[in-house]
Amino acid sequence: MTDKTTPTHHYITVLEPFSETELDQISQLKRFFEWAQGDPDFSKSVDTGNLSPEYRARLKRIGVMFEPEELALLWESPELAKQYLTQCGCGCTVPATISEESVAAVKRYPLLELWARFSSRKNTIYRDLRKQIFCVPQNPVFDAWRMRRIAAVRSELGFFGHFIDHPILAFELGDGCSVGCWFCAFAARKLTKNLDYAESADYFRQITQTCVDLFGKDQASMTLLYYGTEPHDNPNYLNYVKDFEAITGNTVCTSTTAGTDTKWMREMIEYYRHETHPWPRLSVLSKGMMYKIHESYSPQELRDVELLMQMRENPRKKVTGGRILEEDAGMRDRADGNYLEEVVPQGSIACVSGFLINLVNRTIQVISPCYTSKRWAYGYRIFDETTFSDASDFRRAIQYLMDRNMPASPLPNDRARFRDDLVYHATAEGFDLVSPNQIHHFTGKEVYAPLGKLIAEGTHSFSDLYDLMLEQHGVNPMLAVAVTQTLFDGGYLDELRFAPASAQ
């Protein structure tokens, strides 16, 4: 029996208040809204309330048994319906900005009210879960580095940065990807090889156990078994998932495009249903693919499976990185760092703050999310990289990367520079740092003004920086060190000490 040291996924608490009848209705509502999201023609019919006999027949065929008129508020009072559902989707049980009269109008449509209650509960619990990205550290050196990366991501990505849970590991079980999505923000190359489970099961288990030994079960459990690859490409993907759970006590998440492989998908759904997890997540690449998925699985089978509509014609915004980087020059090409004049897009699909490990090529990169740019075309910074020869050499390689890249304080001979996305502006009382999403103010004329100017010059080592603060500005070196440490701990300083030449 698996030793569970981490709590069961909180998704089960999303479902608990609802009866079996209500969960069945929620499954059907989910399917209705999926079709509306993935098919512009059907969406227009819903907007007007003019659903043809063919559409009504298809709803029944794909398991939506209620009559569309039970959702008539969607076309009778579209602004009210949109406001109510949007605000409930943000976690508001009864939106405060909606009048009692409007709430009463919604209550005349019990299915919409049910969907709003479900959405509100789901998003409230998920919002609370996003705050739980910290574990009791077993490896303080790594944990301090990760804390700096989390601070940097939230500074750089703004609001979206608070939705990232920062897993510390991603294992690639293949080299490349067979799907070739047009929007792939990681620009994955064509699949060349998979990790053979028959030959590599012990190798995988040993590496997983090493990660538990280094970081503890809680933190090592924060892992993905794919990153720029497709889980479905490896025929033994589920075996690796089960092995990982047996060692760590944690069930990893899965995002895939394999919706039309019903045998594989049903095995995945059955696995995640064993403890009611909200996986797998399924990217839908075309309207035809959505039709086939809806016709192959009942609403109840896909109750916990999130469908992400990724077709070209869908309004869902894509991160302009990887394959579609050239379509958008990026936030950092704006004149004078004038980032804040319009709504800032998501900026990155990356999430790992730790180690990207390819178990086929036996490479390890130290990475963390950042705003996608020409320099960081995949939406993550690469701090360093190395190789390992086998499972026994893996621990050495990880420790080597931590020793090189994760000092507790700025090293004396390192160059003092601000993080590469930040624009420095001197002020009368100190300085401001402008990221693609926000402005950080640092005030204290006697210390921050000269310190910010020297760091912005980008030519001084930290040792020279402290000497200059004393010689030119009369600042006590201990104070200069303490203030610099504050900037370092806040993730504002450049830590790309060994970035690959391609990213320099």
Side-chain angles (χ1 to χ4, degrees):
M1 184 173 182
T2 300
D3 174 25
K4 286 289 182 182
T5 59
T6 53
T8 297
H9 198 289
H10 286 66
Y11 178 71
I12 196 168
T13 66
V14 174
L15 305 179
E16 281 175 345
F18 302 99
S19 68
E20 288 300 319
T21 298
E22 287 175 324
L23 289 174
D24 182 62
Q25 291 172 325
I26 287 168
S27 300
Q28 294 179 48
L29 286 161
K30 174 177 174 288
R31 175 146 299 187
F32 181 94
F33 287 120
E34 285 169 352
W35 187 11
Q37 186 184 15
D39 185 339
D41 293 332
F42 179 68
S43 180
K44 290 175 185 175
S45 295
V46 173
D47 289 343
T48 61
N50 183 26
L51 273 71
S52 68
E54 290 77 15
Y55 280 158
R56 291 173 182 271
R58 184 172 189 275
L59 283 169
K60 294 292 189 291
R61 191 168 68 250
I62 63 175
V64 179
M65 307 312 294
F66 59 80
E67 296 301 325
E69 283 70 27
E70 294 183 64
L71 306 180
L73 190 69
L74 294 174
W75 55 85
E76 291 175 352
S77 299
E79 290 303 317
L80 170 60
K82 180 180 179 181
Q83 184 184 16
Y84 189 87
L85 292 175
T86 299
Q87 291 192 30
C88 285
C90 294
C92 305
T93 304
V94 178
T97 57
I98 295 181
S99 68
E100 291 183 9
E101 182 180 348
S102 296
V103 171
V106 174
K107 286 184 179 297
R108 291 198 290 270
Y109 298 91
L111 286 183
L112 278 180
E113 189 187 23
L114 173 64
W115 183 252
R117 282 195 290 119
F118 171 74
S119 299
S120 174
R121 183 170 180 81
K122 179 179 177 180
N123 285 283
T124 298
I125 290 173
Y126 277 32
R127 184 182 60 211
D128 292 341
L129 280 174
R130 292 184 193 109
K131 301 173 184 176
Q132 300 177 19
I133 60 175
F134 308 109
C135 302
V136 176
Q138 179 168 313
N139 195 314
V141 169
F142 171 76
D143 193 65
W145 178 87
R146 179 171 176 263
M147 292 288 285
R148 295 197 297 275
R149 302 286 66 77
I150 291 172
V153 168
R154 290 177 172 180
S155 163
E156 187 172 0
L157 298 184
F159 176 77
F160 178 74
H162 291 264
F163 286 77
I164 298 174
D165 55 3
H166 298 272
I168 72 164
L169 300 163
F171 293 142
E172 297 283 34
L173 303 176
D175 180 20
C177 175
S178 70
V179 183
C181 296
W182 63 272
F183 55 86
C184 181
F186 294 150
R189 62 180 179 269
K190 188 175 181 180
L191 178 66
T192 59
K193 187 177 182 182
N194 278 312
L195 189 69
D196 188 326
Y197 186 76
E199 298 176 356
S200 304
D202 287 342
Y203 162 73
F204 174 80
R205 294 182 192 122
Q206 290 171 38
I207 284 179
T208 301
Q209 185 60 56
T210 297
C211 291
V212 170
D213 295 343
L214 285 169
F215 304 109
K217 275 194 174 183
D218 282 351
Q219 207 164 56
S221 292
M222 303 174 69
T223 297
L224 300 170
L225 298 188
Y226 60 94
Y227 207 56
T229 52
E230 164 55 56
H232 179 250
D233 280 341
N234 193 307
N236 294 111
Y237 174 79
L238 189 54
N239 295 95
Y240 290 112
V241 171
K242 290 177 179 178
D243 284 353
F244 187 87
E245 180 179 9
I247 294 168
T248 67
N250 182 68
T251 305
V252 297
C253 62
T254 297
S255 188
T256 180
T257 61
T260 56
D261 184 343
T262 55
K263 181 178 183 298
W264 191 86
M265 277 294 297
R266 285 199 167 94
E267 290 175 352
M268 295 297 294
I269 291 168
E270 180 182 359
Y271 169 74
Y272 283 107
R273 277 282 176 99
H274 81 293
E275 284 188 355
T276 317
H277 294 276
W279 302 102
R281 185 169 57 180
L282 185 55
S283 287
V284 183
L285 306 182
S286 68
K287 187 165 67 174
M289 183 177 180
M290 180 189 68
Y291 283 178
K292 187 169 182 179
I293 291 168
H294 280 172
E295 289 164 2
S296 300
Y297 309 90
S298 71
Q300 292 72 25
E301 283 182 287
L302 298 188
R303 182 194 68 192
D304 308 322
V305 177
E306 182 181 4
L307 267 58
L308 302 178
M309 302 303 169
Q310 304 281 26
M311 46 282 277
R312 284 182 182 269
E313 64 272 18
N314 192 270
R316 180 185 176 89
K317 292 271 301 175
K318 306 294 186 295
V319 170
T320 50
R323 288 204 177 97
I324 57 176
L325 178 66
E326 296 305 319
E327 296 181 15
D328 189 327
M331 293 288 292
R332 298 185 187 130
D333 281 356
R334 296 185 184 184
D336 301 320
N338 194 12
Y339 303 137
L340 305 175
E341 287 191 346
E342 60 185 72
V343 175
V344 178
Q346 178 174 322
S348 177
I349 67 164
C351 60
V352 169
S353 286
F355 304 96
L356 174 57
I357 302 156
N358 191 301
L359 294 176
V360 175
N361 298 333
R362 305 194 178 193
T363 60
I364 310 175
Q365 292 181 323
V366 181
I367 66 170
S368 187
C370 66
Y371 200 95
T372 302
S373 66
K374 289 179 180 177
R375 182 183 186 190
W376 305 114
Y378 307 142
Y380 56 84
R381 288 185 180 85
I382 303 173
F383 293 82
D384 201 356
E385 56 189 7
T386 192
T387 61
F388 61 99
S389 58
D390 53 28
S392 61
D393 188 44
F394 178 76
R395 181 189 292 268
R396 175 208 59 80
I398 289 282
Q399 192 63 56
Y400 165 79
L401 290 171
M402 289 193 290
D403 291 344
R404 270 172 49 104
N405 293 277
M406 301 177 185
S409 301
L411 298 180
N413 293 328
D414 281 354
R415 189 180 301 178
R417 295 180 294 195
F418 289 119
R419 206 175 66 228
D420 60 38
D421 64 290
L422 294 171
V423 176
Y424 163 84
H425 291 295
T427 66
E429 294 300 320
F431 65 90
D432 291 342
L433 294 177
V434 183
S435 80
N437 278 278
Q438 56 191 296
I439 300 175
H440 303 281
H441 305 285
F442 300 88
T443 57
K445 182 185 295 186
E446 292 77 11
V447 179
Y448 278 106
L451 183 65
K453 181 176 182 297
L454 289 169
I455 295 175
E457 288 172 0
T459 58
H460 312 292
S461 70
F462 284 100
S463 179
D464 291 342
L465 181 76
Y466 304 143
D467 290 341
L468 290 169
M469 287 291 285
L470 174 63
E471 296 167 4
Q472 297 183 5
H473 305 284
V475 176
N476 185 311
M478 296 299 291
L479 179 59
V481 169
V483 173
T484 302
Q485 184 71 40
T486 299
L487 294 171
F488 182 75
D489 291 340
Y492 299 109
L493 299 184
D494 179 19
E495 292 193 55
L496 290 162
R497 305 174 66 238
F498 300 104
S502 59
Q504 297 289 350

